[in-house]
Amino acid sequence: MQRREFLQMGAAAMAAAQQKPREESVTAGATADRTPRVGLVLSNFRGAKEHGGVEIQGLADPQPLDADLNAAQIDAMVRKVIELGAGRRGGLGAIIGPEDWVVIKPNIVACHGLGPEDKDGGAHHRYIPGTVTDLRVVRSLIGWLVEHKCGARITIAEGSGEWLPRERSKSAVDGWTTEWGGAFGGLSYKKMIEELARRHASIQFDLVDLNFDETIEMPVPGGARSYHVPKTIQQ
């Protein structure tokens, strides 16, 4: 075969290939929303738009950021936070079953009513408003869990470095019994738990001080050492 004939055959084959219709295939698959969601709601939230233009309804009774909020306004904010944090995976209702043990860890870093004269072995820093979790937020969260049948046992747990439980000290109050000078509607964690236990007898409510909880020895992943974690947290 001469060179000219070879080139002509190659050109003809290329032209035929270009004229042949291309076969394309597309595989369709459902996309999963794997983005973690965190709900953030300010007291003045009047609504917004999601990515994609979906309308988000605001609070029914929005208030200025420096307003003194009542229990109903705080409850509405907590419920909106839970709603916004749910996403496509269902949120708390999909994570927590009716027989689960739920542990809520608020921040009780200080204790109202303790002074430097309390000689109980604890370190007592002056209580400053805004440094502890609003008890009404915790109560609203528990209320939502109860309504949605999330949990057969609900525990409030903390391990403060600033106060000791009364049974281990000589102080008149601790983080569980103080009423915070009336700051949170006169609530204390002890009173809250007692009230919830009366209203919802089928659910176990309790308080756990993580500083004195039974611990379980756990190995450090990939290492030869181990550490102790409170049983309430590990389980």
Side-chain angles (χ1 to χ4, degrees):
M1 181 183 294
Q2 294 185 3
R3 180 173 180 273
R4 178 178 296 178
E5 292 175 333
F6 176 77
L7 293 176
Q8 287 176 346
M9 288 178 61
M14 183 178 296
Q18 290 176 346
Q19 292 173 2
K20 184 179 179 180
R22 297 177 60 188
E23 295 181 2
E24 297 182 355
S25 62
V26 177
T27 302
T31 58
D33 181 5
R34 299 185 181 277
T35 305
R37 282 178 176 260
V38 178
L40 298 174
V41 174
L42 302 179
S43 62
N44 65 351
F45 181 60
R46 298 179 181 274
K49 281 189 177 181
E50 270 269 28
H51 296 296
V54 179
E55 294 284 346
I56 301 176
Q57 187 176 356
L59 298 171
D61 185 21
Q63 296 292 315
L65 296 180
D66 58 353
D68 187 11
L69 304 178
N70 60 39
Q73 291 162 341
I74 290 175
D75 184 66
M77 293 171 66
V78 171
R79 291 171 182 272
K80 179 61 68 173
V81 162
I82 296 173
E83 173 192 332
L84 295 181
R88 296 180 183 176
R89 286 186 272 181
L92 293 181
I95 297 171
I96 305 170
E99 302 302 323
D100 286 345
W101 179 9
V102 180
V103 177
I104 300 172
K105 166 60 178 69
N107 189 46
I108 320 175
V109 65
C111 176
H112 182 277
L114 291 180
E117 69 278 4
D118 289 282
K119 306 297 182 182
D120 60 4
H124 303 142
H125 288 180
R126 183 171 63 90
Y127 166 69
I128 301 174
T131 58
V132 299
T133 302
D134 190 322
L135 279 74
R136 295 168 297 181
V137 171
V138 178
R139 184 173 63 180
S140 292
L141 173 58
I142 294 176
W144 188 96
L145 293 171
V146 171
E147 289 174 20
H148 291 79
K149 295 180 171 53
C150 293
R153 178 181 178 184
I154 299 177
T155 298
I156 300 174
E158 172 63 305
S160 177
E162 302 297 332
W163 52 269
L164 293 170
R166 282 197 307 175
E167 61 269 19
R168 294 177 176 271
S169 72
K170 298 178 182 179
S171 300
V173 295
D174 58 14
W176 305 123
T177 59
T178 180
E179 296 181 1
W180 308 99
F184 309 117
L187 276 179
S188 73
Y189 281 104
K190 187 172 186 297
K191 286 169 59 176
M192 183 194 306
I193 288 297
E194 291 173 348
E195 175 194 348
L196 288 166
R198 287 194 300 268
R199 293 174 55 190
H200 308 286
S202 63
I203 301 175
Q204 179 182 345
F205 297 94
D206 55 0
L207 303 170
V208 171
D209 193 310
L210 298 175
N211 289 329
F212 305 100
D213 192 25
E214 181 182 350
T215 63
I216 297 176
E217 188 173 6
M218 300 292 294
V220 176
R225 305 180 65 180
S226 63
Y227 59 96
H228 287 259
V229 296
K231 185 177 180 180
T232 299
I233 299 299
Q234 192 275 336
Q235 296 187 354

